[in-house]
Structures are given as C-alpha cells and as structure tokens.
Amino acid sequence: MESVLVVAIASVILGALIAVLFFGSYFRKRTSEVQSMAKAEPQDPIRNPKSNHPAAKKNHPKSQASDKNQNKRHHPLDLNTLKGHGDAVTGLCFSSDGRSLATACADGVIRVFKLDDASSKSFKFLRINLPAGGHPTAVAFADDASSIVVACYHLSGSSLYMYGEEKQKDQQGKLPLPSIKWDHHHIHEKRAVLTISGATATYGTADGSAVIASCSEGTDIILWHGKTGRNLGHVDTNQLKNHMAAVSPNGRFLAAAAFTADVKVWEIVYQKDGSVKEVSRVMQLKGHKSAVTWLCFSPNSEKIITASKDGSIRVWNINVRYHLDEDPKTLKVFPIPLCDSGGNPLHYDRLSLCPEGKILAASHGSTLQWLCAETGNVLDTAEKAHEGDITCISWAPKAITVGERHAMVLATSGDDKKVKLWEAPKLQSL
C-alpha cells in the first residue's frame, strides 16, 4: 500500500515538473516574440528617420497647397482675365477706340468683348460662330468696331470673312447678329494665314479706308480693302517662309519678318482719288545676323523695331529719302534680356509697342516682358504670364477705363484658353 502511495506521489511530482517545464518554455517563447516585436518597431518605414518616404508623404499636401497659393498670386500688373474660351486663343485685336477687344479661338468662335471697365468682374461679349469646319487663325477690325475680318483655315485651304453689323432691327426690335459682308476662299494657294494686320490709311491722298494685310505661312502677302474686300495688291518676300507682316499705323508701309535676317519694306502708293495704285518695294533692313521673328512700327510710322534669333532688338529709322537711294538707319541695338538654363540667349516671339511709343512689350513662350523703348532696360517681367505659350500680344490704341482711372492696357492670349489684361508699368521703376 505504501509503495503504491509513493508511486502516486512521485507521478504527481513528475507531472508537475513536466508541466512547469512546458509552460515555462511557452512563456519564454512568447516573451521573446514580444521583445522582438518591440525592437522591430523603430524599423517601421513610417518612423525610420533614414527613410525619405515619410517626409515626402507628410509634406506632399503642404506642397500642393503652396502651389495653389502660388497660382492664386497675381502679378502686380495683372488686371483681369477674360474667360469663356473653349480652346486655345489664336489671335486678338483692339478696336480703334480701345473699347472692344475681338478674340479668335480654336473652338470656331469669334468673341467681341466690351471693355467699359478693364477691372470689371464680368464682361459682355458678342459671339460670332464661324462656318463649320473653320479654325480661326487671326482677327482684325476693319473701319470701326462693327466690322471684323477673320482668317480661317479649312482642309481645303484658307478663307477670309468680313463680318459686319446689321442696321435694320428684326421683328422683336433687336439688331441681328453680324453677318458675312464679303468672303474669299482658297487664298494664299491654300496655305494657312499666320497674321492679319489692319490700319486706317491716312497718308498722302489715301481716303481713310481700312487696309488689311494677310500674311501666309508661305512667302506671299495680300493687301485687301477692309470694307469691300477688294484685292489691292500682292507681294512676295522670296524668303522661304514668312513669320508675320504688319501695316504701318498711317497705312503707308508694309513690312514683313521672314526666314532670313533681312526685313523687306514696301510702300502702298495711293492715287489722287484715294484708291491704292500699287504696292512697291522701297527698302530693306539689313543688320541682323539671323532670322527676324517679329517687328512692329512706331506710332508715327517712321520707325520699325525688330527682334531676331541673333538675340538682339534693333530700332530702325525708315523716314529716309529712299527714292534718292538713302538707306534706312539703325538707331539702336539692344540685347534681348532672356537666357535659357545654359545661359544661351533667347529670342522674342512677339513684340508690341504702346501707343505712346515708350514701352515695348515682348514675349517668349509663356514669359512676358516690358522694356523701355528708349534704353532697352527691363521694366518688369511676368515669367508665367500664361499657363501655356503666349499666342498674341497687343496694346489698346489709347488709355482705357480701369476702375476710377484711365491706364494703358496690354492684352495677351495663350494656349491656356485665356486672354489677360495687363496695366503698363511705370517708367520710374527704372
């Protein structure tokens, strides 16, 4: 009996020892796992100070907010933005009184904005739908704010349309939308029209009619009578391809920037009855070392300002006795104050001289600059004037209303479907 009791007690003790050993091993294993997890926690990528990912994730929302705030900040000269365009704006033009601004848009619509106050929160505009399939490339006023000439490109070639207001009211007593007064199709041998330039002919015996120059992407330029659409003359630059052409403010000269470094200038000769007799070449501007990208006339039509891919701007005196073989003279040469990331000089894509002749606006890509026309010094710069490339720039022909004051205003258009209005900088900022 005693031996059985001893065996039982021994079995209990042995079982207890085995249980203690088993559970001890289990708890030590769990403790080790917990310790291992606790030691691995600092290696979590979220908390690892050596990892760059947490900082990027943490700061990313702040970076977005900063970008948004940056986009909301306006340049000091930025007056307003004309919205509502459905595609890239390809051209713009002020009326002679500066109170209307016509825009050509790739959505096939011409819009004529009424600028009663350039600082207004909204603008009324007249909408003109172009014939189906036409893509407007340029626009210009003819005679007055009620007549607009539009260049369109179709698959079959280029066309010109002149839209004019109707004088008679409809049955509801309202004036109908402007209608086509004249049109020309398949002009410029089916090439696209790059620019349209218009001016009121006041020089010599001119009768005060509007003359319009359409410049093709080829080498030809055609002069048109703004009111009737009559072909007044045709010239050829013979320079591989054109960049643009412009008519002087008084309607006397026609000048073209093309593929070569020289600028050709023609005179529009008027007869005693005021009609155009001929368009004859009278001078050539020589001095640039590379292609001239853009040009503009001075308000008095006696000077031309040119921008070239050679990185310079030149001011020319064209008020010379060319019939006595007197050559035009270079008055000034300015370096273009733009460089790429490698320090290489850039060129201007477009120029526009203010009506007072003191401030030159110029653009390259999305950058807009204002220069002193006298010294070439930079007055101001807007590096991201548009979210895309600037397609056109033009000064209002006279000071217009901005709130309770009057100011000189520049209009720019871009690939970003926007038209912007800018106030002229102060010359004293030099």
Side-chain angles (χ1 to χ4, degrees), residues 73-146:
R73 295 173 187 167
H74 293 292
H75 190 278
L77 301 179
D78 188 352
L79 288 175
N80 222 324
T81 300
L82 308 183
K83 300 178 180 180
H85 298 89
D87 208 328
V89 182
T90 56
L92 56 80
C93 181
F94 278 99
S95 60
S96 57
D97 60 4
R99 298 185 63 183
S100 296
L101 177 65
T103 64
C105 182
D107 61 8
V109 177
I110 300 299
R111 295 168 177 85
V112 184
F113 292 86
K114 299 299 181 183
L115 303 183
D116 296 325
D117 183 351
S119 63
S120 177
K121 293 183 178 180
S122 61
F123 298 88
K124 295 180 180 180
F125 67 89
L126 178 66
R127 179 188 177 102
I128 303 175
N129 294 315
L130 298 174
H135 300 280
T137 57
V139 62
F141 281 96
D143 289 329
D144 53 35
S146 64

Side-chain angles (χ1 to χ4, degrees), residues 398-415:
K398 58 181 66 177
I400 61 177
T401 303
V402 181
E404 298 181 353
R405 56 193 174 86
H406 282 75
M408 297 307 304
V409 173
L410 176 76
T412 62
S413 61
D415 289 335

Side-chain angles (χ1 to χ4, degrees), residues 15-32:
L17 289 173
I18 292 173
V20 169
L21 291 174
F22 175 78
F23 284 108
S25 175
Y26 173 78
F27 283 116
R28 281 194 301 272
K29 183 178 180 181
R30 292 295 297 170
T31 301
S32 176

Side-chain angles (χ1 to χ4, degrees), residues 3-204:
S3 61
V4 172
L5 181 62
V6 169
V7 170
I9 293 173
S11 299
V12 171
I13 294 173
L14 181 61
L17 289 173
I18 292 173
V20 169
L21 291 174
F22 175 78
F23 284 108
S25 175
Y26 173 78
F27 283 116
R28 281 194 301 272
K29 183 178 180 181
R30 292 295 297 170
T31 301
S32 176
E33 289 179 359
V34 171
Q35 289 176 347
S36 297
M37 291 173 64
K39 291 179 180 179
E41 187 174 3
Q43 302 301 319
D44 189 348
I46 298 178
R47 298 187 183 181
N48 184 7
K50 296 181 181 181
S51 174
N52 292 328
H53 297 290
K57 290 182 179 179
K58 186 175 181 181
N59 293 336
H60 186 62
K62 291 184 179 180
S63 177
Q64 282 184 328
S66 176
D67 291 343
K68 290 181 179 179
N69 292 336
Q70 186 68 28
N71 290 337
K72 290 181 180 178
R73 295 173 187 167
H74 293 292
H75 190 278
L77 301 179
D78 188 352
L79 288 175
N80 222 324
T81 300
L82 308 183
K83 300 178 180 180
H85 298 89
D87 208 328
V89 182
T90 56
L92 56 80
C93 181
F94 278 99
S95 60
S96 57
D97 60 4
R99 298 185 63 183
S100 296
L101 177 65
T103 64
C105 182
D107 61 8
V109 177
I110 300 299
R111 295 168 177 85
V112 184
F113 292 86
K114 299 299 181 183
L115 303 183
D116 296 325
D117 183 351
S119 63
S120 177
K121 293 183 178 180
S122 61
F123 298 88
K124 295 180 180 180
F125 67 89
L126 178 66
R127 179 188 177 102
I128 303 175
N129 294 315
L130 298 174
H135 300 280
T137 57
V139 62
F141 281 96
D143 289 329
D144 53 35
S146 64
S147 303
I148 301 173
V149 178
V150 184
C152 280
Y153 186 74
H154 305 261
L155 292 177
S156 59
S158 291
S159 299
L160 277 186
Y161 301 95
M162 196 279 267
Y163 287 85
E165 289 184 355
E166 298 292 340
K167 303 300 181 182
Q168 295 182 351
K169 297 182 179 181
D170 57 20
Q171 294 179 352
Q172 286 79 25
K174 297 180 180 179
L175 288 173
L177 292 175
S179 59
I180 297 176
K181 300 302 180 182
W182 58 259
D183 56 3
H184 292 281
H185 303 283
H186 312 299
I187 61 174
H188 294 293
E189 297 180 352
K190 298 184 179 182
R191 296 186 180 92
V193 174
L194 298 177
T195 60
I196 294 180
S197 175
T200 301
T202 57
Y203 176 77

Side-chain angles (χ1 to χ4, degrees), residues 25 45 55 102 130 139 194 198 211 269 277 306 342 345 378 403 416:
S25 175
L130 298 174
V139 62
L194 298 177
V211 289
V269 182
K277 178 182 178 182
T306 57
V378 178
D416 57 358

